[in-house]
Amino acid sequence: MHQRNMILAYVLWFFLGQLGIHRFYTGRTGSGIAQLVLGVFGWATSGILIGWFPLALLWIWLFIDIFLIPGMCKNPK
């Protein structure tokens, strides 16, 4: 397997992170699906306040991903 482009991974994280696209790009399909579900469910239910809990979890996870992206790019699955 080849190494992923870290700049592209960060661009995907910045613009499409709430959909988990950066995780799909780095080969982390399972966690990408989890981020996608959290984002879609969170935004779909944010109007009735239920969605803010999954969104908060997602945003914390996305913040942690800032530091994990270099390792995900060096060791794609």
Side-chain angles (χ1 to χ4, degrees):
M1 291 190 181
H2 64 283
Q3 188 173 351
R4 304 288 189 210
N5 184 322
M6 192 179 325
I7 303 252
L8 178 57
Y10 276 113
V11 168
L12 291 171
W13 170 86
F14 186 78
F15 290 107
L16 300 169
Q18 293 190 50
L19 299 175
I21 302 303
H22 63 290
R23 288 205 163 248
F24 288 110
Y25 173 70
T26 58
R28 282 19 185 223
T29 306
S31 58
I33 291 171
Q35 285 186 344
L36 178 65
V37 169
L38 281 173
V40 170
F41 177 76
W43 284 114
T45 58
S46 64
I48 55 173
L49 302 178
I50 295 169
W52 293 107
F53 180 71
L55 286 175
L57 291 174
L58 177 62
W59 294 334
I60 292 167
W61 192 357
L62 289 173
F63 178 76
I64 294 169
D65 273 356
I66 292 172
F67 306 103
L68 297 179
I69 285 176
M72 290 190 292
C73 289
K74 289 179 184 174
N75 301 314
K77 290 196 172 202

